[in-house]
Every structure is written in C-alpha cells, then in structure tokens.
Amino acid sequence: GRRAQIMAYLKAHTEATIKEILAGTGLSRTASEKTIQRELAGLVESGLASKTGEKRWSRYRLAGA
C-alpha cells in the first residue's frame, strides 16, 4: 500500500519532503499531502522513519539511515 511505496522511496533516496514523496511515488493521483503527512507521522511514531525540521521544512528519512 501507500506505506510500502513511501518506505521504498525513502530507501532509494537519502531523505525527502512530502512533496518529493508525492511526486516520486505517483501517489499524487490517489492521495493528498495531508494523507502522506499522516502516513509519515505513523512511520515516525512506529520508529520506521525519522523526521527533521518543522512545518514546510520537514524532511523524512528511514530510521537508522
């Protein structure tokens, strides 16, 4: 699903913004920025990804990367 696509994108790229993930995965056709933000928040909360920065400057990466 969406989380698998996001994880694959983060694995291929060192770090990314929500907009980069939307454009790079093709999820922009089926999901909004807010949806991707919620998915990423879930990944961060579960320890699979980490977040740096705040608001528009947030960047995400795989945990341990």
Side-chain angles (χ1 to χ4, degrees), residues 2-61:
R2 279 193 300 254
R3 281 194 180 192
Q5 285 180 279
I6 293 168
M7 293 290 288
Y9 186 85
L10 290 176
K11 190 173 187 177
H13 301 80
T14 306
E15 62 179 17
T17 64
I18 291 171
K19 287 181 188 279
E20 291 168 346
I21 292 168
L22 269 172
T25 59
L27 287 171
S28 58
R29 289 171 285 162
T30 59
S32 68
E33 283 186 30
K34 200 69 176 166
T35 301
I36 300 305
Q37 185 178 14
R38 282 192 294 267
E39 292 285 3
L40 285 163
L43 290 170
V44 169
E45 192 174 311
S46 64
L48 296 172
S50 62
K51 173 185 170 186
T52 57
E54 293 296 322
K55 300 184 181 173
R56 288 180 23 209
W57 297 275
S58 295
R59 299 192 66 76
Y60 298 86
R61 63 176 60 218

